[in-house]
Amino acid sequence: DVKVTQSSRYLVKRTGEKVFLECVQDMDHENMFWYRQDPGLGLRLIYFSYDVKMKEKGDIPEGYSVSREKKERFSLILESASTNQTSMYLCASSPQGSRTQYFGPGTRLTVL
Amino acid sequence: QKEVEQDPGPLSVPEGAIVSLNCTYSNSAFQYFMWYRQYSRKGPELLMYTYSSGNKEDGRFTAQVDKSSKYISLFIRDSQPSDSATYLCAMSAIGNTGKLIFGQGTTLQVKP
């Protein structure tokens, strides 16, 4: 079975802190994605990567950056956390050319 | 106007009812259509996948795509309390990045 793991299920940070969210997949997938999920807004794509060291902006990249140094790991970075970044963050992966994305359990981030 | 529109509900039905979940979209380039199911405090998981137009059936679930009307549906027959979840439609155009556009999600509750 494909497994996508995220470093934390729940995280509480303070405004201005630098926040790292880690995602690891064990199926050698080329594509990895970071979404945020908010009530009434569904899943919105923040960044995605289709290869190591490659990244592309999604629909809402402002305030975020990403890093993909190894194929299995995709990190989301909040450079200076703000209260409007309080959300559920979901990581996903998929094989090259496939539309089937496999999701991690999510990290619920609260920024105080 | 959002590319994909989905009624967020919530939708509450008695056990055994037929459930109809729907999404409309505006981008005629979409060719891949998916339904994901998300249980509370979990990541989404793929439920149904359809390429182009037509119907697809899997047990109690039927997915329909009407590209002429830019409308997709998910039907659940003999609904069960275990079907209580949020259902997200997702779509993608032809291309090799595998990027998906999600609807807002519909929350379904099936009452025993």
Side-chain angles (χ1 to χ4, degrees), chain A residues 9-10 37 40 99-101 103-104, chain B residues 36 38 41 43-44 92-93 95 98:
Chain A
R9 293 300 306 273
Y10 300 94
Q37 184 175 28
R99 264 65 180 173
T100 303
Q101 293 187 12
F103 284 84
Chain B
Y36 280 80
Q38 184 178 22
R41 290 184 292 277
S92 179

Side-chain angles (χ1 to χ4, degrees), chain B residues 5-82:
Chain B
E5 296 277 1
Q6 184 177 3
D7 185 343
L11 186 62
S12 182
V13 301
E15 182 175 354
I18 296 174
V19 176
S20 171
L21 304 170
N22 311 294
C23 288
T24 59
Y25 63 96
S26 58
N27 188 346
S28 57
F30 287 148
Q31 294 283 352
Y32 302 90
F33 304 92
M34 284 139 279
W35 287 94
Y36 280 80
R37 178 175 60 196
Q38 184 178 22
Y39 290 114
S40 181
R41 290 184 292 277
K42 301 275 189 180
E45 56 180 351
L46 182 67
L47 187 61
M48 299 287 282
Y49 181 110
T50 309
Y51 174 72
S52 194
S53 283
N55 293 359
K56 187 172 184 178
E57 188 173 320
D58 183 2
R60 296 184 294 108
F61 298 89
T62 300
Q64 287 186 351
V65 175
D66 181 349
K67 290 184 67 181
S68 62
S69 302
K70 295 191 178 69
Y71 189 88
I72 71 169
S73 299
L74 177 70
F75 296 97
I76 307 173
R77 291 184 299 279
D78 187 25
S79 56
Q80 302 295 309
S82 59

